[in-house]
């Protein structure tokens, strides 16, 4: 080979090497640029979800102000502040066997509780969870209630071995119905609207108790609703049964809400309301709380716009188990669209509600070094195999930001209630007094709902925020108590208190 040829080959090889290198470098530059975009999406999310203690305190104030407005006039606030007609809470003397039905989410529960007649003596309880077939949540009220009444009948029959007697004797029932209801008495009320994805149009505006009692009659069940309660109210009742310092209850599950004990003279929209105790439990329906201080992102705005109830339940959509997974899904979808972290956008990522809060909590709690659970969820649920570790880490971070914001906002809501009733150490909503002038009392808040009870991280974030907002002097006086099955058992307790042979209930305030 001549010299010229050798030089030619060398030049060609060098040119090829350069071209290959250019392609490799180009790819790296592009992939770095994409990664920067992904990290940018995360940074933007973190900024949008920021919940500094200063911002949380603004939410606290807004909550207390809205509570006042909701109590002042009908429609005065997005907080409905519904009267419950529960003016006394269980005092421990309740005795006998009572039933409760608890309807509020994807499952309903039937309970039988045997009460021993002394504080905290629940001798026996039997709880059966029954999944509600999806189609019934958007069917007719008759279909839904027939299904519930049939399940209740089977439960009662099992107790009495199906004997005539078990079905003939008239029983009183506590009915927990966890949707916004305008109560007309302690045992009746009109459904205002559905939440949590339920949509049975013929039910709105109708008396909930009547619907259940008619279905029970159709099924040959001799039962009567002695108390119709929201799940928060049931939880407060059980909380108070165990610990008389309980003044409020909060649910953080599929949906979210709170109730608390209010003085009747503070319920201005109901002038002249008289109760023997001088107080009444108010169902806040805080899921519908709104304030410009809430840290809202474009994902929240889109989720709301795509929901069946836009401009409604704004606080709930940032906090509760029904929505958190879908906020995370929307963030990952945007990352995938803007920087194709998974190649072409996987179709399952576009499916609303494919990621439940259960799955995002599982990803957040995955402590294996290679994030095996995250990889499994991506493969099995989203059908995205082989997600690189750095992407998995990023996804965990997204879950963390969304769950942390939810927990911290819930904490601010709780302090808002404490502020309204003068238990946050600040001297109440009008302030004035310095913290050192305020004498603090032990204050218990009963809590129920899967997000709080099942997820350690959520619980820890909530407690941390509560301590930050209240400060170390006041925080020790405020105790959050996990009140398992409170919504149902509490309804049974209230059924006792309001049944024909009721014993007196304690003074509220
Ligand atoms: C409902 C409330 C209920 C809460 C928790 C909300 O969607 O409006 O009535 O208490 O969920 O179950």
């Amino acid at each position: 080979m001549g010299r010229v040829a050798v030089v030619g080959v060398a030049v060609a090889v060098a040119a090829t090497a350069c071209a290959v290198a250019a392609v490799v470098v180009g790819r790296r530059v592009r992939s770095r640029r994409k990664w920067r975009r992904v990290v940018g999406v995360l940074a933007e999310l973190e900024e949008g979800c920021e919940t500094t203690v200063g911002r949380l305190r603004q939410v606290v104030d807004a909550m207390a102000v809205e509570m006042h407005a909701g109590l002042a006039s009908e429609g005065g606030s997005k907080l409905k502040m519904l009267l419950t007609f529960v003016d006394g809470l269980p005092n421990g003397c309740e005795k006998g066997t009572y039933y409760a039905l608890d309807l509020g989410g994807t499952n309903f529960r039937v309970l039988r509780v045997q009460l021993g007649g002394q504080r905290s003596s629940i001798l026996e309880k039997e709880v059966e969870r029954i999944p509600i077939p999806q189609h019934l949540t958007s069917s007719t009220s008759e279909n839904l209630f027939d299904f519930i009444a049939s399940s209740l009948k089977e439960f009662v029959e099992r107790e009495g071995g199906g004997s005539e007697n078990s079905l003939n004797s008239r029983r009183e029932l506590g009915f927990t119905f966890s949707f916004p209801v305008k109560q007309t008495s302690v045992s009746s009320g009109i459904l205002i609207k559905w939440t949590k994805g339920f949509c049975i149009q013929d039910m709105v505006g109708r008396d909930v108790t009547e619907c259940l009692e008619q279905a029970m009659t159709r099924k040959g069940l001799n039962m009567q609703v002695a108390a119709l309660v929201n799940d928060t109210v049931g939880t407060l009742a059980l909380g108070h049964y165990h610990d008389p310092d309980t003044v409020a209850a909060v649910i953080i599950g599929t949906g979210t809400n709170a109730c608390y004990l209010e003085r009747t003279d503070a319920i201005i929209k109901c002038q002249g309301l008289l109760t023997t105790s001088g107080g009444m439990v108010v169902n806040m329906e805080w899921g519908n709380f709104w304030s410009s201080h809430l840290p809202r992102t474009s994902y929240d705005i889109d989720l709301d716009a795509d929901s069946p109830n836009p401009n409604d339940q704004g606080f709930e959509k940032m906090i509760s188990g029904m929505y958190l997974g879908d906020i995370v899904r929307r963030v990952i979808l945007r990352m995938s669209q803007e920087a194709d972290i998974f190649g072409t956008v996987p179709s399952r990522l576009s499916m609303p509600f494919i990621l439940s809060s259960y799955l995002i909590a599982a990803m957040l709690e995955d402590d294996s070094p290679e994030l095996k659970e995250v990889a499994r969820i991506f493969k099995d649920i989203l059908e995205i195999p082989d997600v690189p570790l750095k992407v998995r880490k990023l996804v965990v971070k997204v879950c963390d930001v969304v769950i942390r914001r939810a927990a911290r906002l819930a904490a601010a809501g709780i302090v808002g209630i404490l502020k309204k009733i003068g238990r946050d150490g600040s001297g109440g909503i009008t302030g004035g007094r310095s913290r050192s002038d305020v004498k603090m009392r032990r204050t218990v808040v009963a809590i129920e709902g899967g997000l709080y009870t099942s997820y350690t991280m959520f619980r820890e974030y909530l407690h941390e925020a509560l301590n930050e907002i209240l400060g170390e002097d006041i925080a020790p006086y405020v105790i959050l108590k996990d009140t398992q099955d409170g919504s149902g058992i509490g309804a049974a307790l209230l059924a006792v208190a309001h049944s024909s042979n009721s014993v007196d209930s304690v003074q509220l305030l």
Side-chain angles (χ1 to χ4, degrees):
M1 203 187 293
R3 214 168 147 234
V4 175
V6 171
V7 171
V9 170
V11 168
V13 169
T16 313
C18 281
V20 170
V23 170
V24 171
V25 170
R27 256 196 220 140
R28 274 207 199 128
V29 168
R30 269 198 304 280
S31 115
R32 277 211 198 108
R33 220 178 275 146
K34 278 182 191 166
W35 187 246
R36 267 206 299 275
R37 247 180 280 156
V38 175
V39 173
V41 172
L42 174 63
E44 199 185 289
L45 175 77
E46 281 177 314
E47 201 187 322
C49 289
E50 211 163 34
T51 46
T52 57
V53 69
R55 185 185 275 248
L56 292 179
R57 291 212 172 104
Q58 288 172 319
V59 175
V60 168
D61 291 346
M63 180 67 82
V65 166
E66 289 300 316
M67 289 172 77
H68 270 273
L71 290 173
S73 63
E74 210 63 72
S77 161
K78 287 203 92 164
L79 284 184
K80 289 210 157 39
M81 307 299 284
L82 300 168
L83 302 190
T84 61
F85 295 91
V86 173
D87 63 347
L89 288 172
N91 60 5
C93 298
E94 296 74 12
K95 211 170 172 180
T97 300
Y98 281 82
Y99 287 85
L101 258 187
D102 184 352
L103 170 67
T106 38
N107 292 311
F108 84 90
R109 286 180 285 195
V110 195
L111 301 93
R112 181 177 31 245
V113 190
Q114 202 187 330
L115 305 164
Q118 275 165 18
R119 188 171 282 283
S120 291
S121 63
I122 294 174
L123 300 179
E124 219 183 292
K125 71 173 181 186
E126 201 181 320
V127 184
E128 189 176 319
R129 284 181 178 72
I130 302 161
I132 299 177
Q134 181 62 31
H135 71 275
L136 288 183
T137 62
S138 55
S139 168
T140 61
S141 56
E142 199 167 309
N143 288 343
L144 176 69
F145 281 102
D146 276 354
F147 174 76
I148 292 173
S150 301
S151 311
L152 176 62
K153 186 175 179 191
E154 281 169 26
F155 185 82
V156 174
E157 278 175 348
R158 270 200 302 279
E159 171 213 32
S163 70
E164 273 293 294
N165 220 6
S166 69
L167 296 175
N168 284 346
S169 48
R170 191 165 180 79
R171 290 182 167 83
E172 296 194 273
L173 181 73
F175 182 22
T176 311
F177 184 74
S178 310
F179 300 93
V181 165
K182 188 171 171 52
Q183 303 257 170
T184 41
S185 74
V186 77
S187 59
S188 60
I190 310 284
L191 174 65
I192 299 174
K193 65 177 183 184
W194 288 106
T195 55
K196 297 178 278 196
F198 275 67
C199 178
I200 303 173
Q201 274 321 321
D202 73 288
M203 214 22 234
V204 177
R206 286 182 61 194
D207 189 312
V208 179
T209 298
E210 222 171 82
C211 290
L212 175 63
E213 287 186 342
Q214 282 167 0
M216 291 193 297
T217 309
R218 281 196 294 275
K219 299 290 165 193
L221 253 184
N222 193 4
M223 277 187 157
Q224 176 188 343
V225 175
L228 170 70
V229 299
N230 186 261
D231 49 358
T232 53
V233 180
T235 302
L236 179 59
L238 183 63
H240 197 274
Y241 179 76
H242 287 310
D243 187 334
D245 286 339
T246 310
V247 294
V250 173
I251 304 280
I252 314 174
T254 310
T256 185
N257 189 13
C259 75
Y260 72 107
L261 301 173
E262 184 55 279
R263 294 189 332 267
T264 41
D265 60 6
I267 310 178
I268 297 165
K269 65 182 171 185
C270 221
Q271 293 266 333
L273 182 67
L274 282 179
T275 63
T276 32
S277 66
M280 183 173 282
V281 177
V282 172
N283 167 14
M284 293 173 61
E285 285 297 331
W286 88 0
N288 203 32
F289 168 67
W290 191 251
S291 153
S292 58
H293 298 299
L294 290 172
R296 199 181 199 205
T297 66
S298 59
Y299 309 104
D300 301 303
I301 295 172
D302 293 346
L303 181 143
D304 181 52
D306 296 345
S307 72
N309 54 348
N311 293 321
D312 216 21
Q313 301 294 102
F315 198 47
E316 176 160 278
K317 285 172 182 160
M318 288 179 156
I319 291 184
S320 81
M322 169 137 189
Y323 302 100
L324 297 188
D326 210 51
I327 300 176
V328 169
R329 177 192 68 83
R330 285 166 188 271
V331 181
I332 305 174
L333 177 62
R334 170 143 170 243
M335 288 174 162
S336 159
Q337 285 164 337
E338 289 206 356
D340 61 0
I341 42 175
F342 309 115
T344 38
V345 177
S347 61
R348 292 203 138 217
L349 256 188
S350 304
M351 289 169 69
F353 296 101
I354 189 159
L355 283 182
S356 62
S357 60
Y358 163 77
L359 292 173
I360 63 163
M363 293 200 272
L364 187 56
E365 290 180 353
D366 183 355
D367 54 7
S368 64
E370 61 285 23
L371 299 175
K372 278 196 203 140
E373 185 58 12
V374 180
R376 189 197 64 75
I377 290 171
F378 266 75
K379 183 163 165 285
D380 295 354
I381 309 291
L382 297 174
E383 292 177 355
I384 312 175
D386 308 322
V387 177
L389 183 59
K390 70 173 182 177
V391 174
R392 279 180 260 156
K393 284 188 177 158
L394 196 89
V395 167
V396 171
K397 188 71 198 144
V398 173
C399 297
D400 183 60
V401 172
V402 172
I403 289 208
R404 184 166 183 270
R405 178 184 69 164
R408 291 174 70 80
L409 290 179
I414 294 171
V415 183
I417 302 175
L418 300 182
K419 180 162 197 150
K420 168 69 184 70
I421 57 175
R423 299 279 190 118
D424 70 327
S426 71
I429 192 169
T430 43
R433 285 190 288 163
S434 75
R435 285 194 155 210
S436 52
D437 296 339
V438 180
K439 192 162 166 12
M440 275 300 290
R441 282 154 69 189
R442 183 173 177 273
T443 298
V444 178
V445 177
I447 298 213
E448 216 209 337
L451 215 50
Y452 180 84
T453 52
S454 313
Y455 304 126
T456 323
M457 288 302 285
F458 187 91
R459 226 172 18 243
E460 281 176 5
Y461 282 144
L462 194 153
H463 290 173
E464 186 181 71
L466 206 66
N467 290 341
E468 278 175 38
I469 306 170
L470 290 169
E472 57 184 25
D473 293 344
I474 306 296
Y477 290 95
V478 176
I479 295 134
L480 302 187
K481 268 202 184 167
D482 184 343
T483 314
Q484 231 210 348
D485 280 329
S487 53
I489 300 176
L493 287 169
L494 287 168
V496 185
H498 294 94
S499 78
S500 11
N501 2 317
S502 72
V503 276
D504 284 337
S505 304
V506 286
Q507 289 276 308
L508 278 180
L509 301 165

mmCIF file of all heavy atoms in Angstrom, residues 178-180 195-196 230-232 251 255-257 285 313 316, ligand 1:
data_model
loop_
_atom_site.group_PDB
_atom_site.id
_atom_site.type_symbol
_atom_site.label_atom_id
_atom_site.label_comp_id
_atom_site.label_asym_id
_atom_site.label_seq_id
_atom_site.Cartn_x
_atom_site.Cartn_y
_atom_site.Cartn_z
ATOM 1 N N SER A 178 -71.080 9.114 55.164
ATOM 2 C CA SER A 178 -69.989 10.096 55.145
ATOM 3 C C SER A 178 -69.973 10.969 53.899
ATOM 4 O O SER A 178 -69.014 10.947 53.110
ATOM 5 C CB SER A 178 -68.668 9.372 55.306
ATOM 6 O OG SER A 178 -68.770 8.513 56.406
ATOM 7 N N PHE A 179 -71.030 11.718 53.761
ATOM 8 C CA PHE A 179 -71.158 12.690 52.680
ATOM 9 C C PHE A 179 -71.867 13.910 53.283
ATOM 10 O O PHE A 179 -72.463 13.788 54.360
ATOM 11 C CB PHE A 179 -71.986 12.087 51.522
ATOM 12 C CG PHE A 179 -71.346 10.848 50.945
ATOM 13 C CD1 PHE A 179 -71.695 9.586 51.404
ATOM 14 C CD2 PHE A 179 -70.364 10.955 49.973
ATOM 15 C CE1 PHE A 179 -71.087 8.450 50.906
ATOM 16 C CE2 PHE A 179 -69.748 9.815 49.460
ATOM 17 C CZ PHE A 179 -70.107 8.565 49.924
ATOM 18 N N PRO A 180 -71.811 15.055 52.588
ATOM 19 C CA PRO A 180 -72.433 16.242 53.197
ATOM 20 C C PRO A 180 -73.954 16.111 53.283
ATOM 21 O O PRO A 180 -74.614 15.941 52.268
ATOM 22 C CB PRO A 180 -72.054 17.377 52.229
ATOM 23 C CG PRO A 180 -70.913 16.838 51.414
ATOM 24 C CD PRO A 180 -71.114 15.360 51.334
ATOM 25 N N THR A 195 -69.603 13.239 47.114
ATOM 26 C CA THR A 195 -68.163 13.500 46.972
ATOM 27 C C THR A 195 -67.503 12.146 46.708
ATOM 28 O O THR A 195 -68.200 11.137 46.588
ATOM 29 C CB THR A 195 -67.578 14.116 48.277
ATOM 30 O OG1 THR A 195 -67.883 13.232 49.370
ATOM 31 C CG2 THR A 195 -68.153 15.486 48.561
ATOM 32 N N LYS A 196 -66.190 12.121 46.648
ATOM 33 C CA LYS A 196 -65.384 10.892 46.542
ATOM 34 C C LYS A 196 -65.796 9.992 45.369
ATOM 35 O O LYS A 196 -65.760 8.762 45.480
ATOM 36 C CB LYS A 196 -65.473 10.098 47.863
ATOM 37 C CG LYS A 196 -64.893 10.841 49.039
ATOM 38 C CD LYS A 196 -65.032 10.084 50.337
ATOM 39 C CE LYS A 196 -66.389 10.244 50.954
ATOM 40 N NZ LYS A 196 -66.467 9.849 52.360
ATOM 41 N N ASN A 230 -72.284 11.693 60.415
ATOM 42 C CA ASN A 230 -71.119 11.751 59.547
ATOM 43 C C ASN A 230 -70.008 10.912 60.200
ATOM 44 O O ASN A 230 -70.013 10.732 61.422
ATOM 45 C CB ASN A 230 -70.686 13.223 59.421
ATOM 46 C CG ASN A 230 -69.568 13.411 58.416
ATOM 47 O OD1 ASN A 230 -68.400 13.512 58.774
ATOM 48 N ND2 ASN A 230 -69.919 13.439 57.152
ATOM 49 N N ASP A 231 -69.044 10.422 59.397
ATOM 50 C CA ASP A 231 -67.978 9.604 60.000
ATOM 51 C C ASP A 231 -67.154 10.383 61.031
ATOM 52 O O ASP A 231 -66.692 9.827 62.031
ATOM 53 C CB ASP A 231 -67.066 8.949 58.938
ATOM 54 C CG ASP A 231 -66.557 9.909 57.884
ATOM 55 O OD1 ASP A 231 -66.921 11.091 57.927
ATOM 56 O OD2 ASP A 231 -65.788 9.470 57.000
ATOM 57 N N THR A 232 -66.990 11.681 60.809
ATOM 58 C CA THR A 232 -66.229 12.478 61.785
ATOM 59 C C THR A 232 -66.959 12.476 63.130
ATOM 60 O O THR A 232 -66.334 12.396 64.187
ATOM 61 C CB THR A 232 -66.086 13.940 61.310
ATOM 62 O OG1 THR A 232 -67.383 14.450 60.995
ATOM 63 C CG2 THR A 232 -65.194 14.044 60.091
ATOM 64 N N ILE A 251 -61.012 13.025 59.844
ATOM 65 C CA ILE A 251 -60.860 11.820 59.019
ATOM 66 C C ILE A 251 -59.910 12.161 57.882
ATOM 67 O O ILE A 251 -60.085 13.184 57.201
ATOM 68 C CB ILE A 251 -62.210 11.385 58.390
ATOM 69 C CG1 ILE A 251 -63.289 11.174 59.446
ATOM 70 C CG2 ILE A 251 -62.020 10.150 57.503
ATOM 71 C CD1 ILE A 251 -63.259 9.872 60.205
ATOM 72 N N GLY A 255 -61.633 10.363 51.618
ATOM 73 C CA GLY A 255 -61.956 11.792 51.666
ATOM 74 C C GLY A 255 -61.418 12.370 52.958
ATOM 75 O O GLY A 255 -60.805 11.651 53.758
ATOM 76 N N THR A 256 -61.650 13.658 53.176
ATOM 77 C CA THR A 256 -61.198 14.240 54.441
ATOM 78 C C THR A 256 -62.238 15.221 54.972
ATOM 79 O O THR A 256 -62.972 15.851 54.204
ATOM 80 C CB THR A 256 -59.818 14.913 54.308
ATOM 81 O OG1 THR A 256 -59.397 15.350 55.601
ATOM 82 C CG2 THR A 256 -59.834 16.107 53.367
ATOM 83 N N ASN A 257 -62.294 15.295 56.301
ATOM 84 C CA ASN A 257 -63.283 16.161 56.940
ATOM 85 C C ASN A 257 -62.966 16.263 58.433
ATOM 86 O O ASN A 257 -62.124 15.511 58.948
ATOM 87 C CB ASN A 257 -64.689 15.561 56.738
ATOM 88 C CG ASN A 257 -65.811 16.485 57.167
ATOM 89 O OD1 ASN A 257 -65.599 17.673 57.396
ATOM 90 N ND2 ASN A 257 -67.012 15.938 57.270
ATOM 91 N N GLU A 285 -67.339 19.874 57.158
ATOM 92 C CA GLU A 285 -67.142 19.570 55.736
ATOM 93 C C GLU A 285 -65.921 20.358 55.224
ATOM 94 O O GLU A 285 -65.986 21.087 54.249
ATOM 95 C CB GLU A 285 -68.400 19.871 54.918
ATOM 96 C CG GLU A 285 -69.505 18.844 55.103
ATOM 97 C CD GLU A 285 -69.141 17.424 54.620
ATOM 98 O OE1 GLU A 285 -68.331 17.282 53.698
ATOM 99 O OE2 GLU A 285 -69.675 16.455 55.215
ATOM 100 N N GLN A 313 -64.573 20.859 46.795
ATOM 101 C CA GLN A 313 -63.715 19.988 47.590
ATOM 102 C C GLN A 313 -62.221 20.250 47.323
ATOM 103 O O GLN A 313 -61.426 19.321 47.207
ATOM 104 C CB GLN A 313 -64.048 18.506 47.321
ATOM 105 C CG GLN A 313 -65.488 18.106 47.629
ATOM 106 C CD GLN A 313 -65.842 18.184 49.111
ATOM 107 O OE1 GLN A 313 -66.501 19.136 49.536
ATOM 108 N NE2 GLN A 313 -65.393 17.237 49.901
ATOM 109 N N GLU A 316 -59.850 18.891 50.024
ATOM 110 C CA GLU A 316 -59.855 17.425 49.944
ATOM 111 C C GLU A 316 -58.977 16.938 48.785
ATOM 112 O O GLU A 316 -58.254 15.943 48.918
ATOM 113 C CB GLU A 316 -61.297 16.947 49.743
ATOM 114 C CG GLU A 316 -61.444 15.456 49.550
ATOM 115 C CD GLU A 316 -62.862 14.973 49.839
ATOM 116 O OE1 GLU A 316 -63.180 14.771 51.021
ATOM 117 O OE2 GLU A 316 -63.669 14.823 48.903
HETATM 118 C C1 LIG B 1 -67.254 13.968 52.762
HETATM 119 C C2 LIG B 1 -67.386 14.056 54.264
HETATM 120 C C3 LIG B 1 -66.653 12.897 54.915
HETATM 121 C C4 LIG B 1 -65.222 12.833 54.406
HETATM 122 C C5 LIG B 1 -64.437 11.678 55.004
HETATM 123 C C6 LIG B 1 -65.792 13.829 52.349
HETATM 124 O O1 LIG B 1 -65.699 13.635 50.979
HETATM 125 O O2 LIG B 1 -67.802 15.122 52.153
HETATM 126 O O3 LIG B 1 -68.739 14.073 54.655
HETATM 127 O O4 LIG B 1 -66.667 13.082 56.294
HETATM 128 O O5 LIG B 1 -65.213 12.699 53.002
HETATM 129 O O6 LIG B 1 -65.018 10.458 54.743
#
